[in-house]
Amino acid sequence: DIVMTQSPLSLPVTPGEPASISCRSSQSLLYSNGYNYLDWYVQKPGKSPQLLIYLGSNRASGVPDRFSGSGSGTDFTLKISRVEAEDVGVYYCMQTLQIPLTFGGGTKVQIK
Amino acid sequence: QVQLVESGGGLVKPGGSLRLSCAASGFTFRDYYMYWIRQAPGKGLEWVSFISNSNIYTNFADSVKGRFTISRDNAKNSLYLQMDSLRAEDTAVYYCARPRTAGGYSSGVDVWGKGTTVTVSS
């Protein structure tokens, strides 16, 4: 199984400041078609998860452009250019290259 | 609008059974693979199972293999999860979810239900 490791576990942020979350996979998520099979999700308090980024760097529909995904192979980063209060929640990465689909352990983003 | 609504959760004793349902609307259900994903209290997300759009292919996490069965009824736009031999560690919110694109387990799960809670306890 592909193991997904996120850091940090907790991320206190100041509104208006940037934030960054790292995700590493135990195997490369780069497929022969050139795409990285890595998604990012946020789960806001009391809500279902929602898709932010798919295929490593593509913003999902309706996701603000302050969110960006980057990386390739085994190392990926989710960046928030300017954190807003509504961004609090737990952020997860997930690989969809192979079954079983696996998630990172989550990064809790909270306002300082 | 595109919607998934789970039902069937509840309290069950260890060793018992439960059947979860998920009603889909707002999209062509028969075109999409579908997933069950769960979240234990205070924990992260765990993929449980998928089923192909044609009902031919299924797969399960090792933690539930041999105990859970996934099925769908495309005529009723419904997804099911039959859970047998339940254990305390199966206690979780169970989400029905849809991948972003039709025809496979593509990158991106862009539709999630609100979840249904399963509690396994004596």
Side-chain angles (χ1 to χ4, degrees):
Chain A
D1 297 1
I2 298 177
V3 176
M4 307 298 291
T5 304
Q6 285 182 236
S7 61
L9 254 59
S10 177
L11 183 58
V13 296
T14 301
E17 294 296 305
S20 180
I21 299 170
S22 172
C23 176
R24 288 188 172 177
S25 56
S26 60
Q27 300 173 37
S28 176
L29 302 183
L30 179 61
Y31 191 54
S32 55
N33 60 7
Y35 290 108
N36 286 281
Y37 282 75
L38 186 282
D39 307 330
W40 289 97
Y41 300 84
V42 62
Q43 186 173 29
K44 297 183 179 180
K47 301 292 187 183
S48 303
Q50 58 187 88
L51 178 65
L52 291 173
I53 302 288
Y54 62 93
L55 293 174
S57 60
N58 296 272
R59 267 190 305 277
S61 176
V63 174
D65 60 8
R66 65 179 182 275
F67 290 92
S68 64
S70 63
S72 184
T74 61
D75 288 298
F76 299 89
T77 302
L78 176 71
K79 291 182 180 173
I80 311 173
S81 59
R82 293 173 307 279
V83 172
E84 297 188 4
E86 66 183 33
D87 298 335
V88 298
V90 181
Y91 289 74
Y92 296 94
C93 59
M94 181 178 89
Q95 65 82 19
T96 54
L97 182 67
Q98 65 179 233
I99 296 296
L101 307 182
T102 46
F103 291 89
T107 295
K108 186 172 186 177
V109 171
Q110 48 202 356
I111 300 295
K112 280 183 184 174
Chain B
Q1 75 278 25
V2 175
Q3 197 172 9
L4 298 170
V5 179
E6 303 93 338
S7 60
L11 174 63
V12 61
K13 289 182 169 49
S17 298
L18 213 53
R19 189 194 196 208
L20 306 183
S21 300
C22 171
S25 59
F27 65 99
T28 307
F29 179 73
R30 64 177 179 271
D31 288 348
Y32 286 83
Y33 278 44
M34 293 296 295
Y35 303 141
W36 286 101
I37 294 168
R38 70 184 181 183
Q39 186 170 35
K43 301 295 185 183
L45 300 166
E46 180 188 17
W47 171 81
V48 173
S49 180
F50 85 76
I51 185 167
S52 65
N53 51 329
S54 56
N55 242 327
I56 294 175
Y57 303 111
T58 63
N59 212 314
F60 298 89
D62 284 347
S63 57
V64 307
K65 204 168 287 184
R67 301 187 297 120
F68 289 13
T69 306
I70 190 171
S71 62
R72 63 191 295 163
D73 184 335
N74 286 341
K76 294 183 177 179
N77 291 337
S78 293
L79 175 71
Y80 306 102
L81 186 68
Q82 177 66 41
M83 304 186 295
D84 298 321
S85 303
L86 282 161
R87 305 167 180 167
E89 54 265 35
D90 296 317
T91 295
V93 174
Y94 285 73
Y95 295 103
C96 169
R98 191 203 79 172
R100 187 177 53 85
T101 58
Y105 59 88
S106 65
S107 182
V109 178
D110 68 344
V111 183
W112 298 70
K114 291 188 183 334
T116 187
T117 300
V118 173
T119 304
V120 184
S121 174
S122 53

